Amino acid sequence: MILVILKDIATLCSISGVLAIILVIAHRFLNDYGIVKININGKKDINVKGGNSLLSSLADNKIFIPSACGGRGTCGACKCGITKGGGPLLPTERPLLTKEELITNTRLACQVKVKSDIYINIPENIFNIRKFNSKIVEIIDYTYDIKGVTFKLDAGEKIDFKAGQYIQLITQPYAKMRQSVSRAYSISSKPEEDDRIQLIIRYVPEGICTTWVHQQLKVGDEVSFTGPYGDFFLRDTDADILFVAGGSGKAPIKSILDHLQVVGTQRRMTYFFGARSKKDLYLTEEMKAFESVFEYFRYEPVLSQPKAEDNWDGKTGYVMPFLKETIRDPQNTEAYLCGSPGMIDAVSKALIAAGIAKDKIYFDSFG
Amino acid sequence: MDINAFVLFWAAIFTSNILLTNFLGMCSYLSVSREVESSFGLGVAVMFVLTVTAGLNWLVYHYVLVPFGIVYLQYIVFIIVIAAFVQLIELIIERYVPALYYTLGIFLPLITVNCAIFGVSLFMIIRDYNFLQSIAFGAGSGIGWLLAILMLAGIRARLKEKLIPVGLRGAGISLIITGIMALAFIGFSGIVQIQ
Ligand SMILES: Cc1cc2nc3c(=O)[nH]c(=O)nc-3n(C[C@H](O)[C@H](O)[C@H](O)COP(=O)(O)OP(=O)(O)OC[C@H]3O[C@@H](n4cnc5c(N)ncnc54)[C@H](O)[C@@H]3O)c2cc1C
Ligand code: FES
């Protein structure tokens, strides 16, 4: 009886085996696109093995296009222009591209497969993006759910970024998380300190990366990240500035202010920081101190739900009503917003209603 | 079964259409019939896979399963053969007809679980067809499926401009149309019966 069963299983296995071998061989030959060329900005050619996604082919050549979702085709961060090659637009790309982007041949690098020579356009500053290895040198508890973590780069390494930009932290597998993921975090330290960066990370319950940072990492641990990314940075004009942040959105603005302290500025600046109650406030002394550094600077924490024991005598409610009275000259005001998508949406609407042009509102949405 | 392969071929297309009389292969038929172009692509792919897997499964059945006495494993083996063959087709289409690959997108793997394909393999065993008859039956059923999905896609393309009650839009109206198409095909059934 057992022999009969074994014989049957063996036959079944051999049928599957033969089919599997045929598939493996077919895969080898059919999926072999040989070496193909990626031409970047009409200047530089790189040769890669055909068949992989554009995003990973570039990453293999140390060119890191932002990819907040890690190549799943959901974030739209990996957009790049393709002038020739790349095949037809895929159904997975369409929802993330705007009408203009569809016309100008913008594609998602994580979805496009490189099967033949391809000509792409990417911003020059992407070449600045590299992978860095670092060691944690400091972890500060700013509030019950926000930590400031400082990463020192390997000896001799330097990172060249603009105040306001972000990096992608790469997690290591821990506990039940067997994969490593990467998540975006704004740099909170100033560009002048180019051998280290500080991040301000708010704990998200059940969040993969923030649980790792808050519960696993300790001083001395080695961590890698790629960067710098992003076009959220201070524009070089003399317009008045409105900063609005919530939660960990303080990070890029802290970096901008630290940088302005080094280079100096005469611009009129107001900084609204929205929080729920006093226990969500942090770095208040440091931000207040900027009022004596700059000639025209004001820091305004606003609490939406102050508790009785907070003894709060500052502004309460949401920040929106306070914006209009602060704006002197809407034509000549820039706004820099950072925080949750909901906050950014509401504040943008209020600013536009107050007469600020849409293209003068810059933001980093943490959504 | 003693029936001329050529007759079987025509019967599989018209009088015993795999979709309209056996109602097999419905899910991809309903989901990909929005545009004529992609329906045609999928129809051709189904036709090709049907013809070849009918032949392959016939060979595997008579030269492997029967001699080794494991006929009772035919369900598993047929599915394995179909799955492997669909993967192969996917690789070939991706390589040589990328445009078709991109229109079919996620629908290609659907063929693996298309019950029309599995159904044809089982019918040919139950009805004891020989090799030639099986190929003719597979090809005919494939063409019949292609015909059905093309007709539905054509009708749905025209329906786009028509006002349809909200509750009937999409799958609802498609099923009603399929029912009417099936009724029309019953008209052919007097010509020859292969059940
Ligand atoms: C440009 C940019 C800059 C940013 N800067 C900062 C910054 O300076 N500081 C900062 O703190 N954050 C910042 N973020 C946000 C940050 O990138 C992460 O999104 C955030 O920290 C959460 O990451 P996570 O891996 O912990 O959570 P994730 O694992 O990504 O989870 C996110 C959410 O999904 C929920 N979730 C996860 N898995 C599941 C599941 N299986 N089922 C249901 N729900 C689930 C979680 O509960 C959580 O609510 C920034 C984002 C962007 C885009
Ligand atoms: S990496 Fe997120 S969409 Fe491409």
Side-chain angles (χ1 to χ4, degrees):
Chain A
M1 179 66 193
I2 288 184
L3 268 183
V4 174
I5 295 177
L6 281 180
K7 192 195 92 203
D8 293 358
I9 292 177
T11 322
L12 194 61
C13 291
S14 22
I15 297 175
S16 316
V18 170
L19 290 171
I21 291 172
I22 295 178
L23 274 181
V24 169
I25 295 175
H27 202 267
R28 243 205 106 118
F29 286 100
L30 290 173
N31 235 8
D32 179 10
Y33 293 89
I35 298 293
V36 293
K37 180 179 84 178
I38 303 181
N39 176 283
I40 302 167
N41 298 349
K43 288 184 191 154
K44 187 175 161 191
D45 280 339
I46 51 175
N47 291 324
V48 300
K49 205 172 145 295
N52 296 324
S53 78
L54 180 58
L55 184 75
S56 61
S57 304
L58 288 173
D60 290 344
N61 282 279
K62 307 241 174 327
I63 298 175
F64 299 99
I65 291 188
S67 64
C69 69
R72 280 176 302 182
T74 54
C75 69
C78 62
K79 286 175 187 167
C80 80
I82 296 188
T83 41
K84 212 167 115 204
L89 187 78
L90 305 180
T92 42
E93 295 174 83
R94 198 177 288 270
L96 291 172
L97 298 171
T98 64
K99 275 206 190 100
E100 290 108 68
E101 285 169 342
L102 287 174
I103 300 168
T104 53
N105 276 331
T106 304
R107 304 283 303 269
L108 295 186
C110 68
Q111 301 296 304
V112 173
K113 273 196 181 176
V114 188
K115 292 181 188 163
S116 56
D117 291 358
I118 184 169
Y119 293 74
I120 64 169
N121 278 326
I122 47 180
E124 289 290 335
N125 59 16
I126 287 208
F127 299 113
N128 226 345
I129 300 172
R130 286 197 293 134
K131 187 169 177 181
F132 294 93
N133 296 320
S134 67
K135 207 175 238 164
I136 296 185
V137 287
E138 186 183 51
I139 300 181
I140 312 172
D141 283 318
Y142 281 139
T143 72
Y144 63 99
D145 70 345
I146 296 183
K147 278 188 201 294
V149 188
T150 307
F151 304 78
K152 184 167 181 339
L153 305 185
D154 279 359
E157 289 274 21
K158 283 186 171 28
I159 178 165
D160 175 15
F161 68 97
K162 288 197 185 114
Q165 286 195 298
Y166 69 92
I167 55 97
Q168 296 254 141
L169 201 60
I170 304 167
T171 70
Q172 285 142 16
Y174 67 92
K176 276 186 253 159
M177 272 311 302
R178 288 216 215 110
Q179 269 176 317
S180 78
V181 299
S182 62
R183 294 282 185 267
Y185 293 97
S186 305
I187 306 174
S188 62
S189 48
K190 55 178 178 257
E192 286 73 21
E193 272 176 354
D194 57 4
D195 66 336
R196 66 188 61 214
I197 57 163
Q198 192 213 27
L199 306 178
I200 295 180
I201 299 180
R202 195 167 79 97
Y203 176 66
V204 173
E206 310 272 322
I208 298 172
C209 182
T210 53
T211 306
W212 177 65
V213 170
H214 276 248
Q215 293 173 7
Q216 308 279 325
L217 289 187
K218 36 186 205 315
V219 170
D221 284 355
E222 289 183 6
V223 179
S224 329
F225 60 87
T226 58
Y229 301 99
D231 47 15
F232 182 77
F233 47 78
L234 195 66
R235 302 305 191 269
D236 191 14
T237 64
D238 54 12
D240 291 353
I241 301 176
L242 259 180
F243 294 112
V244 184
S248 51
K250 188 165 257 170
I253 297 176
K254 174 176 176 293
S255 172
I256 291 176
L257 291 172
D258 280 344
H259 170 66
L260 283 177
Q261 182 171 18
V262 176
V263 297
T265 185
Q266 289 297 315
R267 296 172 72 170
R268 183 175 296 269
M269 305 184 278
T270 317
Y271 180 178
F272 288 101
F273 181 73
R276 211 164 288 164
S277 64
K278 217 166 183 175
K279 71 178 180 19
D280 297 303
L281 291 180
Y282 62 102
L283 285 171
T284 309
E285 298 307 310
E286 286 81 349
M287 296 296 126
K288 272 274 172 211
F290 282 121
E291 292 182 348
S292 53
V293 172
F294 303 114
E295 221 171 318
Y296 310 102
F297 176 82
R298 200 152 53 91
Y299 179 65
E300 291 280 7
V302 185
L303 294 188
S304 63
Q305 294 160 18
K307 296 211 173 79
E309 68 266 24
D310 285 352
N311 291 324
W312 182 248
D313 53 6
K315 291 190 159 56
T316 54
Y318 288 118
V319 296
M320 279 76 83
F322 304 110
L323 298 173
K324 201 169 162 107
E325 64 196 45
T326 315
I327 300 170
R328 264 196 327 173
D329 175 8
Q331 306 290 335
N332 195 33
T333 302
E334 288 167 3
Y336 295 85
L337 326 178
C338 201
S340 71
M343 184 280 267
I344 288 184
D345 212 36
V347 172
S348 297
K349 279 197 186 119
L351 290 174
I352 291 171
I356 296 190
K358 211 172 162 191
D359 58 357
K360 294 268 181 60
I361 303 175
Y362 308 99
F363 56 82
D364 241 358
S365 169
F366 285 6
Chain B
M1 194 178 192
D2 193 22
I3 183 168
N4 184 305
F6 189 65
V7 174
L8 193 59
F9 175 71
W10 287 107
I13 302 177
F14 295 109
T15 64
S16 308
N17 186 295
I18 191 90
L19 197 133
L20 294 171
T21 54
N22 293 302
F23 297 104
L24 291 175
M26 280 301 249
C27 45
S28 32
Y29 163 83
L30 287 176
S31 55
V32 191
S33 55
R34 242 162 263 143
E35 281 148 23
V36 176
E37 207 179 315
S38 41
S39 323
F40 181 72
L42 184 69
V44 171
V46 166
M47 184 184 80
F48 186 62
V49 173
L50 251 177
T51 317
V52 180
T53 51
L56 278 179
N57 277 340
W58 191 92
L59 292 174
V60 169
Y61 183 84
H62 289 280
Y63 292 103
V64 183
L65 302 191
V66 175
F68 282 90
I70 49 169
V71 171
Y72 70 97
L73 285 177
Q74 56 174 305
Y75 281 53
I76 300 181
V77 174
F78 285 178
I79 288 180
I80 296 178
V81 171
I82 294 171
F85 188 70
V86 170
Q87 286 212 19
L88 197 65
I89 292 288
E90 214 181 325
L91 282 171
I92 294 174
I93 297 188
E94 184 177 2
R95 178 78 208 236
Y96 296 107
V97 210
L100 181 61
Y101 181 77
Y102 291 121
T103 18
L104 295 184
I106 51 163
F107 297 119
L108 262 182
L110 265 184
I111 300 182
T112 313
V113 288
N114 188 323
C115 41
I117 298 191
F118 188 48
V120 162
S121 287
L122 290 182
F123 280 155
M124 83 193 177
I125 299 301
I126 296 167
R127 297 181 192 161
D128 207 12
Y129 292 153
N130 63 29
F131 184 66
L132 198 62
Q133 284 172 326
S134 299
I135 300 261
F137 181 57
S141 299
I143 295 175
W145 198 90
L146 169 68
L147 192 67
I149 193 171
L150 268 184
M151 290 195 306
L152 180 68
I155 297 173
R156 283 183 76 173
R158 296 212 140 199
L159 282 184
K160 270 186 200 144
E161 298 124 39
K162 302 283 179 285
L163 266 176
I164 297 170
V166 181
L168 280 183
R169 284 184 201 155
I173 194 77
S174 306
L175 282 171
I176 294 178
I177 295 167
T178 307
I180 299 173
M181 277 166 31
L183 276 177
F185 268 64
I186 288 181
F188 291 121
S189 63
I191 305 175
V192 58
Q193 277 293 342
I194 56 168
Q195 236 62 293

